[in-house]
């Protein structure tokens, strides 16, 4: 971690607290109901710690309330293979939500270090132009989080609320009311009131909990990466100022360049910490989202044969939701990769080749470092970029449209 001194502990940005609150506002809304907010920030009093433990236990209970009977139903009760495949997607999503929730709790300390890094960068802002750049990237991050939440909660709530209501059927003057996750029949008479209503409401609460878990990973990643991109943009602005101030190039370039080098190294360390902390989560998210997209494509094809428009619409919304989930990670990874590469261009435009040899060597060293920009990886297996998104997601969606076109 970065060394600090007495000067670093003094806020140079007068609007530091409001800037930090605005930056992490969405993260606070998402993390607090999950109970892991206070473990990440590690600034909670005794009451807040007890409250967070209670919230964590409640969230785990809600997740297990769905997974245990649902898993038992698929493994031991249901014999039809087509039905097993139909419920394989929801079960995979349930298990991945449990993994992500546990992972965020385990990595809470590392996430806290990344948040402190962001807070310190905001605290040390001295230039109003730099603050404008950082604010612009914060707004970008908030817009991405809002868009992702719209896809996530729309798809999840429609699947858990609309489909069960539209799937009611009558058998011998008796209305069968299905549930999103079956498996309670072995223990309860779910068709009786208020048993059905209680389980139905629990499923609605469950989708909000798992939606918050998924959004927690997206929001933290987006805030961290847009922050790093904003810091890189500030370094490019400093290099631009060096290019315009020719007297600085001829005399005092060392002190100005030292600031750029110091901050550039800290950006690389921060990006590396984020990648190290979340790369396993990225891998699981990409694999699970890809699997669910394939299953949703299969579900759409099956429902297309039966002409169930409500189910098709719900599955299409979910398909685009998971596609957008992968897009978010790949887009911020591409953003970080592109911004990091632009440092080399900004350095080259300083006209370093007109400087004395000793001064030029310092810039050449930065040029060499900038050839290896920061990047996000999924489990150190592949880089998150738009190329990855095109390979994984667009082919799946295009195959679905080809199937529909062939049917017509």
């Amino acid at each position: 971690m970065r060394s600090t001194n007495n000067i670093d502990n003094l806020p140079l940005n007068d609007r530091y607290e409001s800037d930090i609150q605005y930056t992490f506002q969405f993260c606070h809304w998402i993390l607090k109901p999950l109970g892991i907010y206070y473990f990440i920030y590690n600034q909670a009093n005794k009451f807040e710690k007890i409250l967070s433990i209670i919230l964590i236990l409640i969230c785990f209970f809600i997740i297990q309330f769905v997974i245990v009977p649902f898993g038992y139903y698929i493994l031991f009760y249901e014999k039809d293979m087509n039905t097993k495949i139909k419920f394989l997607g929801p079960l995979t999503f349930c298990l991945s939500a449990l993994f992500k929730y546990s992972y965020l709790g385990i990595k809470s300390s590392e996430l806290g270090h990344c948040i402190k890094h962001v807070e310190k960068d905001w605290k040390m802002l001295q230039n109003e132009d730099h603050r404008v750049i950082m604010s612009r990237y914060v707004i970008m991050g908030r817009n991405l989080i809002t868009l992702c939440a719209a896809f996530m909660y729309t798809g999840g709530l429609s699947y858990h609320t609309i489909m069960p209501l539209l799937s009611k059927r009558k058998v011998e003057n008796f209305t069968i009311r299905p549930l999103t996750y079956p498996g309670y029949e072995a223990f309860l008479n779910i068709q009786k009131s208020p048993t059905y209503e209680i389980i139905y409401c629990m499923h609605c609460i469950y989708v909000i909990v798992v939606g918050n878990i998924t959004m927690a990973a997206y929001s933290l990643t987006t805030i961290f990466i847009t922050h790093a991109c904003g810091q890189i943009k500030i370094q490019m602005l400093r290099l631009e100022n060096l290019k315009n101030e020719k007297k600085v190039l001829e005399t005092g370039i060392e002190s100005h360049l030292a600031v750029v080098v110091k901050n550039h190294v800290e950006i690389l360390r921060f990006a590396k910490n984020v990648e190290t902390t979340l790369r396993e989560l990225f891998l699981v998210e990409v694999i699970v989202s890809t699997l669910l997209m394939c299953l949703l494509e299969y579900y759409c094809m099956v429902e297309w044969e039966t002409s169930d428009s409500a189910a098709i619409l719900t599955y299409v919304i979910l398909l685009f939701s998971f596609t957008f989930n992968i897009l978010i990670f790949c887009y911020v990874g591409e953003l970080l990769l592109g911004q990091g590469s632009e440092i080399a261009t900004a350095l080259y435009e300083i006209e370093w080749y007109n400087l004395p040899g000793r001064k030029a060597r310092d810039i050449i060293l930065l040029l060499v470092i900038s050839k290896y920009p920061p990047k996000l990886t999924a489990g150190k297996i592949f880089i998150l970029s738009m190329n990855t998104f095109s390979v994984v997601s667009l082919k799946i969606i295009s195959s679905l449209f080809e199937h529909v076109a062939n049917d017509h």
Side-chain angles (χ1 to χ4, degrees):
M1 300 303 296
R2 298 178 293 177
S3 61
T4 58
N5 51 43
N6 293 332
I7 296 178
D8 291 336
N9 294 327
L10 297 176
L12 301 178
N13 176 13
D14 296 336
R15 288 166 285 184
Y16 153 72
E17 292 184 355
S18 61
D19 289 339
I20 284 295
Q21 182 180 5
Y22 185 73
T23 301
F24 288 104
Q25 185 179 35
F26 287 174
C27 293
H28 294 172
W29 292 349
I30 295 169
L31 292 173
K32 282 184 177 180
L34 297 177
I36 58 178
Y37 169 82
Y38 301 108
F39 288 98
I40 291 177
Y41 279 82
N42 198 24
Q43 297 176 349
N45 55 40
K46 187 176 181 180
F47 171 76
E48 290 172 336
K49 289 181 179 179
I50 294 174
L51 178 62
S52 65
I53 292 174
I54 293 174
L55 288 173
I56 290 173
L57 293 175
I58 292 174
C59 291
F60 267 111
F61 170 76
I62 293 173
I63 296 173
Q64 296 299 332
F65 181 83
V66 172
I67 289 180
V68 173
F70 188 40
Y72 171 82
Y73 176 84
I74 294 177
L75 295 176
F76 304 107
Y77 186 81
E78 182 59 52
K79 304 300 181 183
D80 183 60
M81 184 56 64
N82 291 329
T83 306
K84 285 179 179 286
I85 296 175
K86 182 179 180 180
F87 289 128
L88 179 61
L91 181 61
T92 303
F93 183 73
C94 294
L95 294 174
S96 67
L98 181 61
F99 169 81
K100 287 184 285 189
Y101 191 38
S102 304
Y103 187 88
L104 290 173
I106 294 171
K107 293 289 185 176
S108 59
S109 177
E110 289 84 348
L111 292 172
H113 289 317
C114 295
I115 289 174
K116 288 179 181 177
H117 189 123
V118 175
E119 291 178 346
K120 184 176 180 181
D121 285 341
W122 274 106
K123 191 176 186 179
M124 301 304 296
L125 278 179
Q126 303 178 45
N127 190 307
E128 183 62 25
D129 292 336
H130 296 173
R131 184 178 177 275
V132 170
I133 292 173
M134 294 301 298
S135 299
R136 189 182 304 130
Y137 277 93
V138 169
I139 294 173
M140 177 193 295
R142 288 169 64 95
N143 291 338
L144 287 174
I145 294 171
T146 302
L147 193 58
C148 185
F151 275 97
M152 174 61 63
Y153 292 114
T154 300
L157 288 174
S158 62
Y159 179 77
H160 289 77
T161 58
I162 298 176
M163 281 191 64
L165 296 177
L166 296 179
S167 300
K168 294 180 180 180
R169 65 184 188 276
K170 284 190 175 183
V171 178
E172 297 179 357
N173 296 327
F174 183 75
T175 302
I176 302 296
R177 299 181 294 179
L179 291 168
T180 307
Y181 303 103
Y184 303 91
E185 295 85 351
F187 313 100
L188 302 167
N189 183 1
I190 61 171
Q191 298 302 322
K192 291 181 61 177
S193 296
T195 304
Y196 178 85
E197 286 77 9
I198 292 174
I199 297 176
Y200 179 83
C201 291
M202 286 293 291
H203 286 176
C204 294
I205 297 173
Y206 163 81
V207 70
I208 296 175
V209 171
V210 297
N212 277 9
I213 292 171
T214 304
M215 285 304 305
Y218 294 144
S219 60
L220 287 171
T221 302
T222 303
I223 291 300
F224 291 154
I225 299 306
T226 52
H227 176 81
C229 291
Q231 288 290 302
I232 293 173
K233 197 71 174 179
I234 290 175
Q235 307 316 310
M236 294 173 62
L237 180 62
R238 286 173 173 153
L239 292 172
E240 183 73 18
N241 293 336
L242 284 179
K243 182 180 71 172
N244 296 333
E245 299 174 7
K246 295 184 179 180
K247 291 183 179 180
V248 174
L249 288 176
E250 296 172 357
T251 57
I253 191 173
E254 289 85 357
S255 59
H256 295 273
L257 196 58
V259 175
V260 176
V261 173
K262 176 180 179 294
N263 286 276
H264 186 63
V265 170
E266 295 209 2
I267 293 169
L268 295 177
R269 288 177 179 171
F270 173 68
K272 183 64 177 178
N273 289 338
V274 173
E275 194 271 338
T276 303
T277 302
L278 296 173
R279 60 191 176 198
E280 290 84 4
L281 188 65
F282 295 156
L283 179 63
V284 171
E285 191 65 51
V286 171
I287 292 176
V288 170
S289 295
T290 304
L291 174 61
L292 291 176
M293 289 170 62
C294 295
L295 289 172
L296 285 168
E297 182 180 353
Y298 168 76
Y299 300 155
C300 288
M301 294 177 182
V302 172
E303 298 298 340
W304 187 270
E305 300 295 333
T306 60
S307 300
D308 190 341
S309 57
I312 293 173
L313 179 61
T314 302
Y315 288 140
V316 169
I317 293 174
L318 284 172
L319 178 61
F320 281 101
S321 174
F322 287 112
T323 304
F324 191 78
N325 294 347
I326 299 179
L327 176 62
I328 285 290
F329 285 129
C330 292
Y331 175 74
V332 295
E334 182 74 22
L335 191 65
L336 181 63
L337 197 62
Q339 287 286 83
S341 301
E342 288 180 7
I343 286 283
T345 304
L347 282 166
Y348 191 80
E349 291 177 352
I350 292 180
E351 299 181 0
W352 54 271
Y353 40 82
N354 291 329
L355 294 174
R358 186 176 176 183
K359 295 181 180 180
R361 281 202 304 269
D362 299 332
I363 297 181
I364 292 173
L365 180 60
L366 262 179
L367 278 169
V368 173
I369 296 175
S370 61
K371 287 179 61 178
Y372 304 94
K375 53 183 175 292
L376 297 181
T377 67
K380 298 182 73 173
I381 296 176
F382 51 86
I383 298 173
L384 294 178
S385 63
M386 294 307 294
N387 181 57
T388 303
F389 173 75
S390 62
V391 170
V392 172
S393 304
L394 296 183
K395 288 186 177 180
I396 297 176
I397 297 177
S398 62
S399 63
L400 175 62
F401 286 116
E402 287 177 5
H403 175 79
V404 174
N406 291 334
D407 282 354
H408 283 291

